[in-house]
């Protein structure tokens, strides 16, 4: 590959494109892509299939990049429902394209990372949701209990490609790298067997999109810092912390104008709001007055719905398989939400899991006399079992909450069957980690 043949100059000495083409960069990129897993893209090739012939595939990719025969494929669009309604559009790229994108991140990220705001936490090395929540807690604990909760409407779907390229040029001097990013952004979307072109949008799920989103929103961070505001941003979730309702309303108005007029992005005026921190959800958590962190009401509701989905009343799967499925979900959920400072919230979800199992056990006994017999076998006094099942006229849901049923299948019994519970020691361990089990 000759740079003179392309008529391109590397004015500042950065040979970024050569770094992307290096075998070691592509190997490092593949390892990161493999850790992140992911479904096949439009070409149908899985990570496992790519890895089966890894040496050959990476060499082919390197040769295509060096010879400028590489062409990024379109991304497969996948719509997943949002908890609050609506859909989130994800873009699933081909495995080989994810590797090239990850190689670009490895190469470009160091140019921008040192200049990003200390108040930005999303998709950055050594930073996490936990760090963002900790900073929000500091602000509220210092008396800034009024929050401006900014919501950017369909941010990832509306970022203008030309603007991304313009921002990249501020630090990326290798025009071949700019060209490769442009090709990737404009590779199109695979919908029902057809490719649709687009001049805007960063596919969520793409290795390159998180870095580009931070580059785009760095200008917002700069404006917030210029105004001397205290804020925390995680990707497109941004909270500004002030000391009064009036200040919060003034900040929301001014920032809305800045975002829409300067950044050419749209603020969701329905979801953006001001309020006391105790009424605001940030990354699934709520910071109460004084700085106490709890799991948000919305996250608790969503968790209970997930438990119901995993443990339907008429489940056909064996107990062992259901416990394995619940543990897989709860390990990730609790690993994230263990940062909350009310252990009773985790205990409430664990109690809900046990109730759903007890509900199944009750439903498996079609006749009341059989259920009374079962409870008696499990150590409940027959008079107590009879009273609970017959005399109090409970429905199944209420019966699953009764003392007798709870004693028949106590927490200790569920632990013996392998059901996960989070002890104080485990919560302390998870809270000490920089990297913790992924959110579901």
């Amino acid at each position: 590959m000759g740079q003179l043949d392309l008529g391109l100059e590397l004015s500042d000495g950065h040979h970024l494109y050569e770094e992307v083409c290096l075998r070691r960069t592509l190997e490092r990129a593949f390892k990161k892509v493999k850790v992140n897993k992911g479904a096949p893209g439009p070409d149908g090739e899985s990570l496992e299939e790519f890895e089966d012939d890894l040496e050959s595939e990476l060499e082919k990719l390197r040769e295509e990049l060096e010879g400028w025969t590489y062409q990024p494929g379109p991304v497969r669009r996948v719509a997943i429902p949002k908890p609050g309604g609506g859909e989130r559009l994800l873009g699933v790229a081909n495995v080989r394209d994810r590797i090239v994108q990850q190689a670009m991140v490895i190469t470009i990220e160091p140019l921008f990372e040192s200049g990003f705001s200390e108040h930005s936490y999303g998709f950055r090395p050594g930073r996490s949701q936990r760090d963002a929540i900790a900073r929000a807690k500091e602000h509220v604990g210092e008396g800034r209990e009024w929050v401006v909760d900014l919501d950017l409407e369909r941010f990832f779907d509306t970022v203008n490609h030309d603007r991304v390229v313009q921002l990249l040029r501020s630090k990326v001097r290798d025009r071949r790298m700019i060209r490769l990013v442009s090709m990737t952004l404009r590779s199109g979307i695979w919908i029902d067997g057809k490719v649709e072109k687009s001049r805007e949008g960063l596919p969520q799920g793409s290795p390159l999109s998180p870095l580009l989103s931070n580059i785009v929103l760095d200008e917002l961070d700069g404006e917030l810092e210029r105004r001397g505001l205290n804020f925390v941003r995680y990707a497109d979730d941004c909270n500004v912390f002030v000391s009064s309702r009036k200040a919060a309303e003034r900040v929301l108005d001014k920032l809305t104008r800045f975002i829409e007029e300067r950044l050419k992005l749209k603020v969701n005026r329905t979801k953006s709001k001001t309020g006391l921190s105790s009424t605001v959800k940030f990354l699934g958590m709520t910071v109460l007055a004084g700085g106490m962190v709890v799991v948000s009401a919305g996250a608790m509701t969503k968790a209970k719905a997930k438990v119901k989905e995993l443990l339907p009343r008429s489940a056909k799967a064996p107990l062992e398989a259901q416990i394995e499925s619940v543990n897989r979900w709860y390990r990730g959920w609790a690993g994230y939400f263990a940062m909350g400072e009310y252990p009773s919230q985790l205990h409430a979800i664990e109690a809900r899991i046990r109730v759903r199992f007890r509900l199944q056990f009750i439903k498996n006994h079609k006749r009341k006399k059989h259920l009374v017999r079962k409870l008696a076998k499990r150590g409940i006094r027959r008079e107590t079992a009879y009273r609970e099942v017959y005399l109090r006229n409970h429905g199944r849901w209420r019966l699953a909450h009764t003392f007798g049923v709870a004693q028949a299948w106590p927490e200790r019994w569920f632990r013996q069957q392998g059901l996960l519970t989070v002890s104080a020691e485990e919560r302390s361990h998870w809270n000490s980690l920089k990297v913790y089990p992924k959110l579901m």
Side-chain angles (χ1 to χ4, degrees):
M1 176 183 61
Q3 65 186 62
L4 295 178
D5 294 339
L6 293 170
L8 301 173
E9 294 181 86
L10 303 178
S11 58
D12 63 355
H14 286 304
H15 295 262
L16 298 180
Y17 192 78
E18 279 89 342
E19 292 181 31
V20 169
C21 297
L22 288 174
R23 180 59 177 265
R24 66 171 179 266
T25 305
L26 294 174
E27 289 174 350
R28 183 180 166 194
F30 171 75
K31 290 178 181 177
K32 287 183 174 288
V33 170
K34 183 179 178 180
V35 168
N36 292 330
K37 300 180 182 180
D43 66 2
E45 184 177 36
S46 68
L47 266 167
E48 293 75 18
E49 291 169 335
F50 189 94
E51 190 175 18
D52 285 342
D53 196 13
L54 183 61
E55 294 297 316
S56 174
E57 291 286 1
L58 290 181
E59 181 60 23
K60 180 181 178 182
L61 204 51
R62 186 190 67 79
E63 291 175 354
E64 289 180 11
L65 287 165
E66 284 196 345
W68 278 102
T69 59
Y70 168 76
Q71 288 292 328
V75 299
R76 179 167 59 88
R77 175 163 285 177
V78 178
I80 61 173
K82 291 183 178 181
E87 292 181 329
R88 175 178 289 109
L89 299 177
L90 301 182
V92 182
N94 296 325
V95 173
R96 65 198 322 269
D97 296 326
R98 300 207 294 268
I99 293 170
V100 173
Q101 289 185 41
Q102 190 63 62
M104 286 191 276
V105 171
I106 291 170
T107 306
I108 295 173
E109 187 174 58
L111 298 179
F112 289 90
E113 173 59 30
S114 61
F116 284 151
S117 170
E118 64 173 301
H119 306 283
S120 165
Y121 291 88
F123 313 121
R124 295 183 62 189
R127 291 181 167 229
S128 67
Q129 295 107 315
R130 190 180 300 279
D131 298 318
I133 294 296
R135 178 59 68 90
K137 176 180 177 177
E138 288 178 13
H139 290 318
V140 175
E142 292 167 356
R144 291 181 282 272
E145 297 180 3
W146 282 90
V147 180
V148 179
D149 185 11
L150 284 171
D151 186 281
L152 301 181
E153 187 170 320
R154 298 176 60 243
F155 167 72
F156 280 91
D157 299 329
T158 58
V159 173
N160 183 273
H161 293 167
D162 291 334
R163 180 166 180 78
V164 172
V165 169
Q166 178 186 0
L167 292 169
L168 279 173
R169 283 183 177 139
S170 67
K171 293 188 178 180
V172 176
R173 305 305 182 195
D174 188 335
R175 287 188 284 174
R176 297 168 301 173
M177 182 65 77
I178 297 293
R179 176 182 170 187
L180 182 60
V181 173
S182 297
M183 289 167 55
T184 300
L185 289 175
R186 291 164 180 157
S187 60
I189 303 168
W190 181 269
I191 302 176
D192 297 328
K194 297 180 180 179
V195 179
E196 293 187 5
K197 296 293 183 181
S198 175
R199 297 188 65 84
E200 64 179 17
L202 303 175
Q204 294 189 66
S206 153
L208 188 58
S209 293
L211 173 60
L212 297 183
S213 71
N214 275 334
I215 291 173
V216 169
L217 291 175
D218 187 55
E219 193 170 357
L220 172 60
D221 296 342
E223 178 66 13
L224 291 167
E225 289 177 345
R226 188 186 67 79
R227 294 173 180 265
L229 295 169
N230 296 281
F231 70 97
V232 179
R233 183 176 67 78
Y234 192 95
D236 57 332
D237 288 331
C238 184
N239 280 1
V240 183
F241 299 84
V242 295
S243 301
S244 69
R245 180 200 297 268
K246 187 174 181 180
E249 292 173 348
R250 182 174 64 252
V251 167
L252 176 59
D253 180 61
K254 291 183 177 179
L255 288 181
T256 298
R257 289 203 302 269
F258 174 82
I259 291 168
E260 295 187 341
E261 294 174 8
R262 180 69 178 272
L263 304 186
K264 307 302 180 185
L265 298 169
K266 188 171 179 58
V267 173
N268 187 324
R269 295 170 188 268
T270 301
K271 294 185 178 180
S272 294
K273 61 183 180 180
T274 64
L276 289 169
S277 63
S278 58
T279 68
V280 174
K281 176 182 69 173
F282 182 53
L283 302 178
M285 309 300 292
T286 293
V287 185
L288 304 180
M292 180 71 74
V293 176
V294 301
V295 182
S296 71
M300 289 293 289
T301 299
K302 183 180 177 183
K304 291 174 183 177
K306 183 65 177 180
V307 171
K308 183 178 181 180
E309 175 190 327
L310 291 170
L311 300 173
R313 295 190 186 195
S314 302
K316 304 297 182 184
L319 177 65
E320 296 79 6
Q322 292 190 79
I323 287 177
E324 182 181 351
S325 176
V326 170
N327 282 351
R328 188 164 49 248
W329 166 76
Y330 187 61
R331 184 174 288 107
W333 190 89
Y336 179 81
F337 287 105
M339 76 173 83
E341 296 170 314
Y342 275 11
S344 60
Q345 291 185 294
L346 268 66
H347 297 161
I349 298 302
E350 293 172 7
R352 178 60 65 99
I353 291 171
R354 294 192 294 272
V355 165
R356 294 297 306 184
F357 273 119
R358 292 174 187 136
L359 188 60
Q360 290 182 6
F361 302 157
I362 291 170
K363 192 174 186 300
N364 288 339
H365 295 82
K366 302 296 184 183
R367 304 185 66 177
K368 290 185 176 180
K369 66 178 182 179
H370 294 158
L371 179 57
V372 170
R373 192 177 303 154
K374 180 67 176 181
L375 292 175
K377 283 184 178 180
R378 294 204 55 82
I380 306 304
R381 292 179 58 191
R382 191 172 185 84
E383 295 81 2
T384 301
Y386 187 88
R387 183 171 60 250
E388 299 283 21
V389 175
Y390 280 99
L391 301 184
R392 293 187 176 175
N393 198 29
H394 290 313
R396 286 173 177 164
W397 178 248
R398 290 189 63 192
L399 185 57
H401 288 79
T402 59
F403 175 80
V405 172
Q407 289 301 302
W409 292 283
E411 181 180 348
R412 181 183 65 259
W413 181 85
F414 283 104
R415 286 201 302 269
Q416 292 170 347
Q417 308 310 308
L419 188 65
L420 177 68
T421 59
V422 180
S423 67
E425 292 77 14
E426 287 171 319
R427 289 183 68 251
S428 177
H429 171 65
W430 279 338
N431 283 332
S432 70
L433 297 178
K434 269 289 186 182
V435 179
Y436 43 84
K438 287 187 176 180
L439 183 60
M440 60 181 179

